[in-house]
Amino acid sequence: MMPLGSAPAALILFGPPGSGKGTQAKLLRECLSVPHISTGDMLREHIHAGDALGKEVQGLMQAGQLVPDDLVNRLVAERIDRPDCARGFILDGYPRTLQQASVLEKMLQERKLDQVVVHLEVDYNVIIARLTGRRQCPVCGTLYSLTSRPPKAPGVCDLDGAKLVVRDDDRESVIRQRLEAYERQTRPLLDHFAASGHRFYQVDASHDSPQQILHKICRFLKNGA
Ligand code: ADP
């Protein structure tokens, strides 16, 4: 396993929708052997299960808006207290507001975990192209891209043959809402991270392949450069 640093740490993957946080999180999970915590996936699981929490967030998510801070903070707090997180974990899609960032800061201090932030920087036009071409397997969650990672047979998942779907919030009108929410509520966190004194790495994630980006992130985690 590749160490996240000398002490156990939370690796925060930060970037706009479509910047490849989920893809990098899955690749990093393999090389770091720590769990991948995606608040978006957790929320979608609740919607899928049809429980009270799922019903509460469904409308907001379909409209491309953020769900309430207290709700995601609680989900994350519960998740990181499971034993598999003791050696660190990867956060994908959290924190997304200044309030979430300060709650996370406290959670990590209490648990004696460091934080490392990786910012995936992506060109606006690249984001739009990626999100409109994105397809997902409703069964196993694998993501495909009509431009850069098409399925072997059109419209069906390589792994289980299920018919691929467009995520509800990947429709074009909703994409605009999600990018607005990012600009207004999430992007300001960059200044907060830069001022926080924690390790912070920016990587150009517009053009390189996922493997090349992974390589750069791993090199930073190892050498700090
Ligand atoms: P993306 O990063 O591509 O927008 P996600 O799966 O991370 O996709 O998030 C999908 C939706 O889930 C968001 O638009 C938002 O409604 C909700 N969500 C996920 N994480 C958070 C969070 N930390 N705070 C508030 N809402 C969240």
Side-chain angles (χ1 to χ4, degrees):
M1 133 159 177
M2 158 113 59
L4 254 178
S6 46
L11 173 60
I12 299 171
L13 287 177
F14 188 84
S19 56
K21 299 185 297 287
T23 303
Q24 288 304 320
K26 288 187 182 73
L27 294 169
L28 283 160
R29 176 181 61 190
E30 299 303 315
C31 77
L32 300 171
S33 305
V34 294
H36 164 203
I37 301 175
S38 156
T39 43
D41 286 349
M42 287 163 85
L43 294 167
R44 277 185 290 277
E45 275 164 28
H46 283 280
I47 292 177
H48 195 72
D51 59 22
L53 194 151
K55 292 205 173 83
E56 187 181 340
V57 300
Q58 188 162 25
L60 288 167
M61 284 179 73
Q62 279 173 356
Q65 284 162 18
L66 297 188
V67 312
D69 287 335
D70 291 350
L71 192 152
V72 268
N73 289 335
R74 194 157 30 88
L75 280 182
V76 171
E78 281 167 17
R79 179 65 189 87
I80 68 176
D81 277 336
R82 290 205 219 142
D84 63 339
C85 288
R87 285 165 51 248
F89 45 85
I90 299 163
L91 289 172
D92 157 14
Y94 180 91
R96 246 177 162 98
T97 63
L98 284 164
Q99 201 272 0
Q100 292 176 22
S102 69
V103 169
L104 175 66
E105 184 98 29
K106 277 201 213 88
M107 285 194 237
L108 297 178
Q109 269 167 13
E110 282 163 14
R111 292 164 179 80
K112 302 208 174 1
L113 289 159
D114 276 346
Q115 66 177 273
V116 181
V117 181
V118 171
H119 174 209
L120 301 171
E121 284 189 283
V122 188
D123 195 89
Y124 191 79
N125 293 322
V126 173
I127 292 175
I128 301 280
R130 279 189 194 163
L131 291 176
T132 50
R134 187 151 82 170
R135 299 291 181 273
Q136 188 169 33
C137 172
V139 177
C140 69
T142 301
L143 287 170
Y144 295 89
S145 154
L146 299 186
T147 46
S148 62
R149 191 191 174 214
K152 291 198 185 89
V156 296
C157 179
D158 294 352
L159 304 181
D160 52 35
K163 194 169 177 297
L164 301 179
V165 296
V166 176
R167 232 169 67 179
D168 272 344
D169 59 353
D170 277 344
R171 282 172 292 120
E172 221 162 323
S173 56
V174 183
I175 289 172
R176 222 170 304 125
Q177 288 300 319
R178 285 162 64 203
L179 289 171
E180 262 177 48
Y182 175 78
E183 284 301 323
R184 199 176 60 245
Q185 292 165 282
T186 309
R187 198 180 172 79
L189 283 181
L190 281 174
D191 286 341
H192 164 86
F193 288 138
S196 70
H198 300 294
R199 295 170 73 199
F200 181 65
Y201 180 58
Q202 312 225 41
V203 58
D204 176 355
S206 286
H207 307 296
D208 288 353
S209 70
Q211 283 299 336
Q212 286 168 317
I213 295 166
L214 173 72
H215 183 74
K216 287 189 188 163
I217 297 175
C218 287
R219 203 176 49 200
F220 162 75
L221 293 175
K222 222 165 132 189
N223 310 322

